[in-house]
Amino acid sequence: MFDEDFEMFSSAKNQSQMLHRVKKATGYDASIEAETAPPDSYSLFFRRHCAIVHFMKWEMEEGTWLLVLDGDIAVINPMVLLDDFVNNDYDITLFDRFFNFEVGANSYLVRNTILGREFVQKFADYEFKLPKSFHGTDNGALHPYLAELLVPDNSRPIDALCAKVWQLSKNYGNLDEVEACTRLIFGDRTNFPEKKLRILPKGKGWVRDLWLLKSHWAESDFMLHAVKEKALLTLRPEIKNISDGQLFQWNPKEKIKRAFPLLQKLNITKCSLAEEEWVYDTRLKISNEKKAKLLDEMEKRVLKKRLEAQLFLFFDK
């Protein structure tokens, strides 16, 4: 975990500390890192990837795994295992975010190999290729980087089109166009064995956004993203009967307060002894089946939006 202000993410940090303390019982190792002295050549969002490379080189054994997490990611279900997301045929595992066309830069699973370190280092160095536009920092840069890495021939007209869209980007809508454009280059493939990289499809990753289903969760969830103190309700919300359609929240910028489903701060000492009980707000729990149905419907809508964005690229540019 890399961030400057831990107090802003104290709920998420509490979960990460829990993972850190249970490492002896589970066989996992964990580290919480706060990077506060930036190298002159890296800005905040790319600096973390640079720090990750250094951590891999100097603090990890060759061949071991590292799960990179943003500071506002928290565990919601400790019964899910990291092992479920490890595939030894791949050194880098990314995932599709749900509400848009984005491959997530907020978390990734990487093995400490030459290929794994090279992937993260080149991602950090992509800062120096950013256009002077609304480029989306590392979230935006990941997509041209993936297109360049996975389909290295950049002489096609589509590559020039995607580069132009990124150079002219002025807002998040333009960034959606960049992501939609680069998807035309590397497509909907999920496995790239020649690069030892895979992209888990929507709903198959280890983390999703807390606000996506308005704070509701299911047992199939492992981690939730966007657990920021300033966006969390200080009092438990009144839960009303709402339709499935009303559970969707499409825009992460909507000023809707959210509730983290865990009711208490975890006792880290008890966690390390496997004696802590997780107490949930059961009103926010939905079945795995309902969650799957809701997200399947959202995935169809997102795909339609992506296809429309891709058509717009050719008819408007």
Side-chain angles (χ1 to χ4, degrees):
M1 180 191 297
F2 294 85
D3 211 281
E4 290 182 314
D5 185 3
F6 269 10
E7 291 308 311
M8 184 178 178
F9 309 115
S10 60
S11 292
K13 186 183 75 167
N14 181 240
Q15 316 301 307
S16 298
Q17 286 176 324
M18 180 279 299
L19 284 178
H20 182 68
R21 293 296 292 273
V22 301
K23 65 181 182 179
K24 292 182 180 178
T26 62
Y28 296 129
D29 201 351
S31 179
I32 302 175
E33 301 291 336
E35 184 67 30
T36 56
D40 292 338
S41 57
Y42 289 97
S43 61
L44 171 64
F45 292 103
F46 288 90
R47 184 179 71 212
R48 57 179 175 173
H49 305 298
C50 180
I52 288 163
V53 173
H54 284 276
F55 183 78
M56 294 171 73
K57 285 181 178 178
W58 305 112
E59 302 292 336
M60 293 178 60
E61 293 183 10
E62 188 75 12
T64 54
W65 289 93
L66 178 67
L67 178 65
V68 178
L69 301 172
D70 263 8
D72 60 345
I73 292 176
V75 174
I76 186 58
N77 185 1
M79 302 308 293
V80 180
L81 299 178
L82 288 174
D83 306 64
D84 297 341
F85 303 96
V86 170
N87 184 326
N88 287 312
D89 291 334
Y90 297 90
D91 287 357
I92 305 111
T93 298
L94 310 171
F95 64 90
D96 264 350
R97 294 190 72 182
F98 225 100
F99 69 99
N100 60 7
F101 329 133
E102 182 181 317
V103 179
N106 57 349
S107 181
Y108 51 88
L109 185 62
V110 59
R111 183 157 48 185
N112 190 27
T113 61
I114 293 174
L115 201 61
R117 292 189 296 273
E118 182 180 83
F119 171 81
V120 182
Q121 183 66 68
K122 288 184 176 180
F123 187 19
D125 291 342
Y126 219 82
E127 177 178 11
F128 309 116
K129 296 184 178 183
L130 295 178
K132 296 184 183 300
S133 66
F134 191 88
H135 49 66
T137 65
D138 60 338
N139 288 294
L142 179 58
H143 301 82
Y145 172 45
L146 286 175
E148 183 180 295
L149 174 71
L150 301 176
V151 192
D153 178 8
N154 60 0
S155 62
R156 300 170 298 262
I158 186 64
D159 295 273
L161 174 61
C162 295
K164 179 181 177 182
V165 173
W166 201 27
Q167 289 165 3
L168 298 178
S169 176
K170 296 179 180 179
N171 51 49
Y172 284 106
N174 295 145
L175 282 180
D176 285 345
E177 294 176 2
V178 175
E179 294 159 7
C181 191
T182 54
R183 287 292 184 149
L184 290 171
I185 297 175
F186 59 86
D188 287 321
R189 283 180 61 188
T190 56
N191 298 330
F192 298 84
E194 65 279 9
K195 299 295 183 180
K196 303 207 75 172
L197 182 149
R198 61 181 181 147
I199 303 171
L200 299 180
K202 294 184 187 301
K204 302 300 182 182
W206 51 87
V207 59
R208 68 169 178 86
D209 293 293
L210 171 63
W211 50 263
L212 194 65
L213 296 178
K214 295 184 178 174
S215 303
H216 290 71
W217 71 288
E219 287 186 0
S220 57
D221 284 312
F222 181 20
M223 298 180 182
L224 296 174
H225 173 247
V227 186
K228 293 183 175 73
E229 298 306 304
K230 66 180 181 180
L232 295 179
L233 292 164
T234 54
L235 300 174
R236 303 310 296 180
E238 178 184 354
I239 306 297
K240 300 178 181 179
N241 290 325
I242 58 177
S243 68
D244 288 356
Q246 291 173 313
L247 276 177
F248 293 129
Q249 182 184 336
W250 287 92
N251 183 3
K253 298 300 179 182
E254 287 181 32
K255 303 301 181 183
I256 298 177
K257 290 284 187 176
R258 59 205 67 144
F260 190 62
L262 197 64
L263 288 176
Q264 94 279 30
K265 296 284 187 181
L266 296 171
N267 183 310
I268 305 304
T269 301
K270 285 187 176 181
C271 277
S272 64
L273 300 173
E275 295 177 352
E276 178 67 314
E277 180 181 2
W278 291 49
V279 182
Y280 297 99
D281 186 340
T282 56
R283 301 171 302 165
L284 293 170
K285 187 176 181 181
I286 59 177
S287 68
N288 289 337
E289 292 75 19
K290 183 170 185 175
K291 173 195 159 188
K293 176 184 175 183
L294 289 168
L295 294 185
D296 182 64
E297 176 61 28
M298 180 174 275
E299 182 176 6
K300 292 175 184 176
R301 297 188 198 180
V302 173
L303 177 59
K304 180 181 178 182
K305 288 174 63 179
R306 196 188 85 188
L307 293 173
E308 290 172 349
Q310 289 169 334
L311 285 172
F312 180 77
L313 288 168
F314 290 101
F315 287 103
D316 188 69
K317 302 301 176 189

